[in-house]
Amino acid sequence: MVDVRYDLAFKLYPYARVAAQDMPMQRLPVVVVGGGPIGMATALDLGRKGTPVLVLDDHEGVGQGSRAICFSKRTLEIADRLGAGQAMLDKGVIWNVGKVFHGPDRVFEFNLQPEAGHKMPAFINLQQPYFEKFLVDEIRVAQAQGAPIEIRGQNAVTGIAQQGECVVLDVGTPEGLYQIAADWVVACDGARSPLRTMLGLSFDGRVFEDNFLIADVKMTAAFPTERWFWFEPPFKGSGQSALLHKQPDDIWRIDFQLGWDIDRQAELDPVRIRERVDAMLGEGAEYALEWTSIYTFQCRRMKEFRHGRVIFAGDSAHQVSPFGARGANSGIQDADNLAWKLDFIVKGLAPESLLDSYSAERAHGADENILNSTRATDFLTPKSDMSKIFRNAVLDLARQHEFARPMVNSGRLSVPCVYDHMPLNGPDALAGPDITRVGAPCIDAPLDQGYLLDRLPGQFTVLALNCAAPEIDVVEGVPLTHLALTTAQHDPTGALAQRYLGAQPQALYLIRPDQHVAARWPEADGDALAAAVKTAIGKGA
């Protein structure tokens, strides 16, 4: 039997017996364990590239509860490349403005995307069940188009053994056990990762002594579509901080800080929750409690994300506090980084050591997120009287003085990681804009028709701006897509030049399949371009 731990919001892949349960052990190129957003994004990306992939999930669909709700611009761009971005945008609540309060008084507000010229907004609020469903919907589209993706619901991995050049998985189903073998296993099985436990791997870091109550309430309210955060909120029972966000379907997310020494069962009593919500919304407010939960802050990660032929991604590899929306967004970047590398290895285009760069790059991203989450948590919950005095002084200064506002930390909101000084980086020979330096994700820009990121497919791309590129279509078996643009013809707003040229008249960019800049030059010959491609696929000198 398979342990059913939670109710489903959407039943998307009901259990069905498959031929593999009655055959000798099946062997597959890639098996993804865990059907959450990271697992499904990884499978969709691999399948669209033509690499066969199987997803094993111990449930038959998406669990109830909003959980992750804030999805960043970079996550939406990745989802858009995979085909699911528009559905998310259509359903989600777009927001760019946040307001910070101290007690009853507004301290300041901020705009996350003050400049125009981006296809995707800075953030949308969208309940995690919808996010996962839209990925699965797109997997069904891809399957109909021939993508080799399979999902097996109520298939729980109960044992794992690495045996030479494959991994053997014991899989439990409602009809008993069977085994499958995989060249590669991607563990996307969450913060309590059973695979990590089975392999005896550590998950080190810090657990913060505090608890936060989530209350999703359904109501019709006149609050604007913004992120409102209170330090020392004026509402009775709100603790040291509170947060208010709007979600689709007239659902509002409210977070209350409860402190460390609490009776969790008592705090989840609907009567007590309603007392807190009533204090915030006012007596007589009409609403329904949709979902509630209590969580603690944890900032932890594995030392390495690759262990032989098992690769960890998302919460199974790293965990951060939810303030700042860094958990799911960081995990989607894991999937974006990993899928093209696994695809190249399965197809024989890159050495297996390329996966070490996944661990290096995404561990770098995890450290950045953990640092920001730790700092946010320390600012939210001062650990001494002096720390609290400092925090409140910063808040007082921020009311009138702009210089103090960057020091206010209610959760540094997720931004994409830049892979500075990483092994796959080629030369940065262009004295161009810092935001598109080598290692950075490409920044979108409006073109005469559409947007730049829409023109960057999931493979290596040579972007030539106001210049000619070397006529090379393949390097080491890796196909290159060429995109030639001129600012005179294709840059109606000037954003392309601003973001990719700066003061330079021309530029040549080599862009990875995950849309990160691999190398850039004012101009380059074929040898330089080929060398940069080799470096980017782990074949550099």
Side-chain angles (χ1 to χ4, degrees), residues 12-164:
L12 301 175
Y13 31 88
Y15 171 76
R17 189 173 184 86
V18 295
Q21 292 171 253
D22 302 310
M23 297 167 53
M25 187 167 56
Q26 181 185 23
R27 181 160 176 173
L28 299 164
V30 181
V31 172
V32 173
V33 179
I38 315 310
M40 290 304 180
T42 302
L44 178 56
D45 206 352
L46 284 168
R48 284 214 176 274
K49 296 177 188 300
T51 290
V53 57
L54 167 66
V55 179
L56 299 176
D57 192 21
D58 57 1
H59 285 67
E60 295 179 300
V62 181
Q64 288 185 349
S66 60
R67 293 166 288 155
I69 64 166
C70 295
F71 293 98
S72 70
K73 175 176 175 289
R74 184 62 197 142
T75 292
L76 295 172
E77 290 166 349
I78 294 167
D80 201 39
R81 178 175 62 79
L82 297 176
Q86 190 60 50
M88 296 173 182
L89 199 60
D90 291 343
K91 182 66 177 178
V93 173
I94 296 173
W95 68 277
N96 294 314
V97 173
K99 291 179 180 175
V100 176
F101 300 84
H102 188 196
D105 302 322
R106 192 181 77 176
V107 177
F108 69 96
E109 67 179 62
F110 56 87
N111 190 331
L112 293 169
Q113 190 161 293
E115 64 179 8
H118 297 265
K119 180 179 180 180
M120 291 297 174
F123 273 89
I124 65 168
N125 285 355
L126 179 71
Q127 295 93 322
Q128 184 173 326
Y130 284 120
F131 188 91
E132 292 185 39
K133 181 182 182 298
F134 293 143
L135 287 173
V136 175
D137 289 346
E138 194 58 32
I139 285 175
R140 299 308 185 200
V141 172
Q143 288 172 326
Q145 296 169 344
I149 309 171
E150 182 183 359
I151 306 172
R152 297 179 191 170
Q154 276 204 290
N155 276 238
V157 175
T158 60
I160 182 170
Q162 301 207 53
Q163 299 181 1

Side-chain angles (χ1 to χ4, degrees), residues 296-311:
T296 58
F297 279 178
Q298 299 186 51
C299 289
R300 303 191 289 178
R301 79 164 174 90
M302 302 177 71
K303 184 177 181 181
E304 302 288 340
F305 295 175
R306 177 195 174 187
H307 291 266
R309 291 181 169 271
V310 182
I311 307 106

Side-chain angles (χ1 to χ4, degrees), residues 309-386:
R309 291 181 169 271
V310 182
I311 307 106
F312 290 81
D315 283 352
S316 70
H318 47 79
Q319 189 177 11
V320 295
S321 62
F323 284 108
R326 292 175 176 270
N329 289 302
S330 177
I332 292 296
Q333 291 172 53
D334 290 352
D336 192 41
N337 186 292
L338 177 59
W340 74 267
K341 296 175 181 178
L342 264 180
D343 174 65
F344 273 41
I345 291 167
V346 170
K347 292 175 178 174
L349 298 175
E352 294 179 1
S353 58
L354 181 62
L355 287 176
D356 295 332
S357 73
Y358 163 75
S359 184
E361 290 177 344
R362 295 313 303 155
H364 170 66
D367 286 342
E368 184 177 280
N369 286 320
I370 288 170
L371 176 63
N372 279 284
S373 290
T374 300
R375 286 174 174 172
T377 304
D378 288 339
F379 196 85
L380 290 171
T381 58
K383 303 303 184 290
S384 68
D385 291 340
M386 186 56 66

Side-chain angles (χ1 to χ4, degrees), residues 69-70 95 97-101 110 125 212-217 226-233 235 238-247 252-257 277 280-281 295 297 322-325 380 410-411 413:
I69 64 166
C70 295
W95 68 277
V97 173
K99 291 179 180 175
V100 176
F101 300 84
F110 56 87
N125 285 355
F212 290 78
L213 170 69
I214 295 174
D216 277 358
V217 303
E226 300 171 346
R227 178 187 193 262
W228 287 7
F229 187 93
W230 286 265
F231 291 96
E232 298 181 328
F235 328 117
S238 296
Q240 292 190 56
S241 66
L243 177 67
L244 177 69
H245 261 302
K246 185 179 181 181
Q247 304 174 64
W252 296 77
R253 159 73 64 84
I254 304 174
D255 287 50
F256 296 112
Q257 187 176 350
V277 175
M280 172 184 274
L281 301 180
Y295 63 87
F297 279 178
F323 284 108
L380 290 171
S410 62
L413 289 161

